[in-house]
Amino acid sequence: MSHARATHLNRRGLLAAGGALGLGAALAACGDDKGKDGDSGKAAGSGKSGPWTFKDDRGTTVKLDKVPANIVAFTGVGAALYDYGVQVKGVFGPTKTTDGKADVQAGDMDISKLTVLGNAWGQFNIEKYASLAPDVLISTLFDDAGTLWYVPEESKKKIAQLAPSVGVSVYDRQLTQPLQRMWELAESLGANMKAAKVTDAKKRFEDAAARLRAAAKAKPEIKVMAGSASDQLFYVSGTNLSIDLEYFKSLGVNFVEPPESAKKQGGGWYESLSWENVDKYKADIIMMDDRTSAIQPAAITKATWKKLPAVKAGQVVSRSPEPILSYDKCVPLLTTLAEALEKAKKVS
């Protein structure tokens, strides 16, 4: 879906429409045993044998006779689990680009070995899903209503009947919280969380966070804007709701903050600007949405964009509004911004 259709969509569809920043929403799930967020599940035998239990961020507890073997997940979730040594059988969500290459959200997964149930919003092949004999479906949550990301509203009940689901919240919290939850989930599924590759990645993340904090402290005057581009509109995200921006802000990064009234049409996530008004906010660094649904900076031809001080100064960097929730994949998010701050000049 394109942003041009945004005004015709409900809040969930609006936030999924492509380049919106931080995106929130989609699709209710089944389950019971309401509980508190943050409770982790445990698998007997370190996830190798015996019953499996996991309480997700909806408070839903999934109980199975054995650790799930046939896992189906949102692409980004599958990519995170892959980094921890847990492989999924099927995925749904942005997986393959138009030229057949792996989408940015697929991470290091070999997409040729995956059953892709749907590659775009609204796509989910239930017949293929059933053929995988799924033990569990895992996705993220972009709202506080417990709705599963990229599970179509019109078929969510049929999908829920085929396997229990697990939701990891990426809504209105800092990045470190869902990172920890994905860690706990991977561990419950049998991942070796003491492996050098895993512990080293976590240490690199902590070091990168310290570097970003230091860079932000050294240049508090540098203003950062989080943006996303479509043909008709430019979107400016506020730090509220988005896990990456909330975390970067906590480390001291000075962000452009659209007023809540301006973000109302974007479900509280972002403000929509015409390209004529793209200079509404002064920024020294612009972070741009790296997803394939958004127009990338090199392809933006608008004259108003090219006149922006940050663009003229070459102070435009990438941003991942839907981070792959492994420490390995989140390190570059921190180092990219830290390096940009370290090199940035005040241009606004």
Side-chain angles (χ1 to χ4, degrees), residues 236 238 257-273 280-281:
V236 179
E257 294 282 6
E260 290 303 315
S261 58
K263 295 187 295 179
K264 189 174 181 180
Q265 194 174 17
W269 294 84
Y270 57 86
E271 177 180 2
S272 304
L273 298 175
K280 178 178 180 179
Y281 298 106

Side-chain angles (χ1 to χ4, degrees), residues 212 215-216 219-227 234-239 244-245 248-249 252-258 281-288 310 315-319 333 336-342 344-348:
L212 179 54
K219 293 187 176 179
E221 75 282 3
I222 297 297
K223 201 80 171 177
V224 180
M225 180 168 68
F234 183 83
Y235 304 86
V236 179
S237 178
T239 57
D244 60 331
L245 302 185
F248 299 158
K249 184 179 180 180
V253 178
N254 183 11
F255 280 100
V256 167
E257 294 282 6
Y281 298 106
K282 294 182 178 180
D284 304 294
I285 295 173
I286 303 176
M287 301 175 69
M288 290 295 288
Q315 296 179 171
V316 178
V317 298
S318 65
R319 177 201 169 205
L333 311 185
T336 295
L337 184 53
E339 183 177 359
L341 281 168
E342 290 162 357
K345 296 179 181 179
K346 185 70 179 176
V347 295
S348 65

Side-chain angles (χ1 to χ4, degrees), residues 28-337:
C30 59
D32 55 11
D33 295 342
K34 293 291 183 179
K36 297 179 180 179
D37 288 354
D39 292 339
S40 63
K42 296 181 180 178
S46 299
K48 295 178 182 178
S49 63
W52 182 78
T53 301
F54 192 86
K55 182 177 282 187
D56 75 358
D57 291 337
R58 299 167 299 178
T60 297
T61 298
V62 177
K63 298 179 180 180
L64 299 174
D65 292 338
K66 60 180 180 179
V67 177
N70 296 345
I71 302 170
V72 173
F74 172 70
T75 303
V77 171
L81 292 175
Y82 181 87
D83 284 351
Y84 292 130
V86 177
Q87 298 198 33
V88 302
K89 280 203 166 185
V91 294
F92 54 94
T95 306
K96 187 183 298 184
T97 60
T98 53
D99 59 3
K101 296 180 180 178
D103 188 275
V104 64
Q105 295 192 62
D108 294 333
M109 292 189 295
D110 182 349
I111 61 173
S112 69
K113 296 180 179 179
L114 295 170
T115 297
V116 181
L117 305 178
N119 198 59
W121 182 257
Q123 295 178 358
F124 194 110
N125 190 314
I126 299 177
E127 289 72 25
K128 277 189 180 181
Y129 180 53
S131 73
L132 293 174
D135 294 320
V136 67
L137 179 149
I138 309 173
S139 192
T140 45
L141 310 169
F142 276 94
D143 63 16
D144 56 6
T147 54
L148 292 169
W149 190 232
Y150 266 78
V151 175
E153 177 72 22
E154 60 275 14
S155 54
K156 64 179 183 181
K157 291 183 179 179
K158 289 183 179 179
I159 293 168
Q161 291 172 356
L162 294 170
S165 60
V166 167
V168 176
S169 181
V170 288
Y171 176 73
D172 196 17
R173 61 201 62 205
Q174 293 181 20
L175 177 62
T176 46
Q177 291 176 268
L179 270 174
Q180 179 61 28
R181 291 296 282 143
M182 193 62 71
W183 175 288
E184 293 165 357
L185 178 59
E187 186 173 38
S188 80
L189 293 169
N192 178 9
M193 309 313 281
K194 294 182 180 179
K197 177 183 177 181
V198 174
T199 56
D200 288 351
K202 190 171 185 180
K203 177 62 165 59
R204 286 188 291 110
F205 178 88
E206 292 165 352
D207 291 344
R211 178 183 175 184
L212 179 54
R213 187 189 296 276
K217 185 177 181 179
K219 293 187 176 179
E221 75 282 3
I222 297 297
K223 201 80 171 177
V224 180
M225 180 168 68
S228 184
S230 73
D231 286 330
Q232 302 298 320
L233 297 169
F234 183 83
Y235 304 86
V236 179
S237 178
T239 57
N240 287 345
L241 308 183
S242 298
I243 56 172
D244 60 331
L245 302 185
E246 284 199 14
Y247 183 53
F248 299 158
K249 184 179 180 180
S250 77
L251 295 176
V253 178
N254 183 11
F255 280 100
V256 167
E257 294 282 6
E260 290 303 315
S261 58
K263 295 187 295 179
K264 189 174 181 180
Q265 194 174 17
W269 294 84
Y270 57 86
E271 177 180 2
S272 304
L273 298 175
S274 66
W275 282 103
E276 289 73 21
N277 296 314
V278 73
D279 61 352
K280 178 178 180 179
Y281 298 106
K282 294 182 178 180
D284 304 294
I285 295 173
I286 303 176
M287 301 175 69
M288 290 295 288
D289 188 342
D290 69 353
R291 291 170 300 172
T292 52
S293 55
I295 299 175
Q296 298 306 299
I300 299 175
T301 58
K302 308 291 185 182
T304 49
W305 162 260
K306 294 180 178 180
K307 290 179 181 178
L308 293 177
V311 175
K312 292 171 70 175
Q315 296 179 171
V316 178
V317 298
S318 65
R319 177 201 169 205
S320 300
E322 294 184 62
I324 293 173
L325 296 172
S326 71
Y327 286 102
D328 178 71
K329 292 300 180 293
C330 287
V331 169
L333 311 185
L334 296 165
T335 55
T336 295
L337 184 53

